[in-house]
C-alpha cells in the first residue's frame, strides 16, 4: 500500500490538492478555537483518518453502534458503515491477531482494548508478532496498526479497569508508545500514529477523556496536511508544557496535569518549576528533556505506574547519564506505590498528587 496520504476531497477526486488545502485554511480561519474534549479530539482524528484513507478501519469490543465504553468511537459505524467500524467478540488476543493479518495485507487497523488491564490476554500477540514482524521479515513486512488503550487511573474503576501498563510496551522493542496529555495532542498524535508504518501503542488517559481545552480542529487538520506534504511530524518529540528555572518536572499522560498543578502551587511560594510533557515514551526525546535539566540542575519524574523497573526509572537513568555534571541534587521520582492497583476508595492514596510532588521538590538539596 502506498504511504501517500491525501485529503478526503483529493481521495474522492473532486478537487485539486491546492484547492483542498486552501479550503481547509479558510475553514480554519472562520471556525476559530472551540471548547473540545480529549474524547472528541480522538474521535475526530479517527474520522479524518478514515475519510483520508479507506484502508483505515476501526474495530474492538462495543466500538460499533454503542460507540465504545467511553463513547470515543461514537458515530463511526453510522458514518462509515459496519465494514469499517465494527464490534468483535470479547477476545482481545483474537482482536490483535486479526489486526496483524489485516496490517500485513495493506490495511491500517485501529483497534481498541476496552480497558488497560483487558489488553493482557493479547500481550502474547503484541510481543511475539506485532513487535517482531518487521524484524522477522528483514523489513519486508510492515505492520501499520494502532492499538488504542484507555489507561491509568483517576476514575475509581474496580480491578482490571485501572492500570498503568506502559512499561510492558516500552520494554518491548519494535513498538512505538505514545501517551498524549492534551486535547490537541490527542488529535495530533493519533493522526501521526495512524500514518506510521510501525505499530503504535496509543495510551489514552481515561481520566482526561472529558477534560476540555480551547482547540481549533480545523487548524490541526491543516497542520497535519502540511506536515504530511512536507514529510515532517512531531513524532517522538517532548514539549515544554510550562517554562521554569529552578527545577524540572518530567511527566507524561495523566501525570502532566498533576505536574502543572504542582508547578502552579510552587509558583505561589516563589519557586519556578519547568514542566516537560514527554508525549512519546518510545521513541524518547532525550534532547528536550536533557536541555531542561541541564538548565535547572534539578529534576523530579512523575508517573502513576509503579516505581520499580518503570518508565520513570528509565527516564531517571537517561537523565543521570547525560546530565550528571549539571545536577545539583539526585533525581527524585514520584510514582504509584509498588502494590497492586488499589480499590476505588483507596485510589487517591496511590496516585501521585501535588503534595507528594512538592515534597519531592523540597527534598532536592536546596541551599536556602
Amino acid at each position: 500500500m502506498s504511504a501517500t496520504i491525501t485529503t478526503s476531497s483529493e481521495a474522492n477526486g473532486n478537487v485539486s490538492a491546492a484547492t483542498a488545502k486552501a479550503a481547509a485554511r479558510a475553514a480554519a480561519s472562520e471556525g476559530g478555537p472551540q471548547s473540545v474534549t480529549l474524547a472528541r479530539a480522538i474521535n475526530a482524528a479517527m474520522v479524518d483518518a478514515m475519510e483520508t484513507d479507506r484502508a483505515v478501519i476501526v474495530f474492538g469490543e462495543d466500538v460499533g453502534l454503542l460507540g465504545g465504553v467511553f463513547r470515543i468511537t461514537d458515530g463511526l459505524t453510522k458514518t462509515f458503515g459496519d465494514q469499517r467500524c465494527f464490534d468483535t467478540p470479547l477476545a482481545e488476543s483474537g482482536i490483535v491477531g486479526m489486526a496483524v493479518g489485516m496490517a500485513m495485507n495493506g490495511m491500517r487497523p485501529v483497534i481498541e482494548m476496552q480497558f488497560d488491564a483487558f489488553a493482557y490476554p493479547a500481550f502474547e500477540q503484541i510481543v511475539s508478532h506485532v513487535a517482531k514482524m518487521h524484524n522477522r521479515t528483514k523489513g519486508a513486512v510492515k505492520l501499520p496498526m494502532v492499538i488504542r488503550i484507555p489507561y491509568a487511573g483517576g476514575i475509581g474503576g474496580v480491578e482490571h479497569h485501572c492500570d498503568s501498563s506502559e512499561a510492558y510496551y516500552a520494554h518491548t522493542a519494535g513498538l512505538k508508545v505514545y501517551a498524549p496529555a492534551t486535547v490537541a495532542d490527542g488529535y495530533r498524535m493519533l493522526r501521526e500514529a495512524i500514518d506510521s508504518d510501525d505499530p503504535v501503542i496509543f495510551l489514552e488517559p481515561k481520566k482526561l477523556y472529558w477534560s476540555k481545552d480551547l482547540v481549533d480542529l480545523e487548524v490541526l487538520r491543516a497542520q497535519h496536511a502540511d506536515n504530511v506534504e512536507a514529510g515532517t511530524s512531531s513524532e517522538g518529540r517532548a514539549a515544554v508544557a510550562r517554562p521554569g528555572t529552578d527545577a524540572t518536572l518530567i511527566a507524561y499522560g495523566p501525570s502532566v496535569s498533576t505536574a502543572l498543578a504542582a508547578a502552579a502551587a510552587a509558583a505561589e511560594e516563589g519557586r519556578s518549576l519547568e514542566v516537560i510533557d514527554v508525549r512519546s515514551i518510545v521513541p524518547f526525546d532525550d534532547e528536550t528533556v536533557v536541555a531542561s535539566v541541564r538548565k535547572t540542575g534539578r529534576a523530579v519524574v512523575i508517573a502513576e505506574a509503579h516505581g520499580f523497573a518503570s518508565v520513570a526509572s528509565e527516564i531517571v537513568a537517561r537523565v543521570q547519564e547525560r546530565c550528571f555534571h549539571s545536577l545539583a541534587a539526585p533525581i527524585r521520582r514520584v510514582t504509584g506505590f509498588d502494590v497492586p492497583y488499589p480499590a476505588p476508595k483507596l485510589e487517591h492514596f496511590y496516585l501521585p498528587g501535588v503534595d507528594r510532588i512538592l515534597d519531592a521538590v523540597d527534598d532536592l538539596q536546596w541551599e536556602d
Side-chain angles (χ1 to χ4, degrees), residues 7-83:
T7 65
S8 58
S9 298
E10 291 173 273
N12 292 329
N14 296 329
V15 293
S16 69
T19 303
K21 195 170 179 181
R25 288 204 172 105
S29 63
E30 293 174 4
Q34 297 179 351
S35 181
V36 178
T37 64
L38 177 62
R40 182 187 168 198
I42 293 172
N43 178 277
M46 286 187 282
V47 169
D48 292 347
M50 293 174 80
E51 287 181 343
T52 299
D53 189 347
R54 287 191 56 81
V56 178
I57 54 175
V58 176
F59 57 94
E61 297 167 4
D62 297 321
V63 303
L65 293 178
L66 179 64
V69 170
F70 297 99
R71 305 298 187 266
I72 308 302
T73 56
D74 188 40
L76 296 188
T77 296
K78 182 178 180 180
T79 301
F80 299 99
D82 59 10
Q83 296 297 303

Side-chain angles (χ1 to χ4, degrees), residues 166-168 170-172 250 252 278 280-286 289-290 301-303 305-322 331-333 335:
E166 59 266 31
Y168 300 125
H171 185 71
T172 304
I250 305 167
Y252 56 86
V278 170
S280 170
I281 298 173
V282 181
F284 186 80
D285 182 1
D286 289 298
V289 175
V290 165
V301 181
I302 306 151
H306 308 145
F308 185 81
S310 63
V311 170
S313 303
E314 174 65 18
I315 295 174
V316 170
R318 299 177 79 87
V319 172
Q320 189 274 340
E321 289 170 354
R322 292 160 176 80
I331 304 168
R332 295 295 307 276
R333 286 179 295 164
T335 68

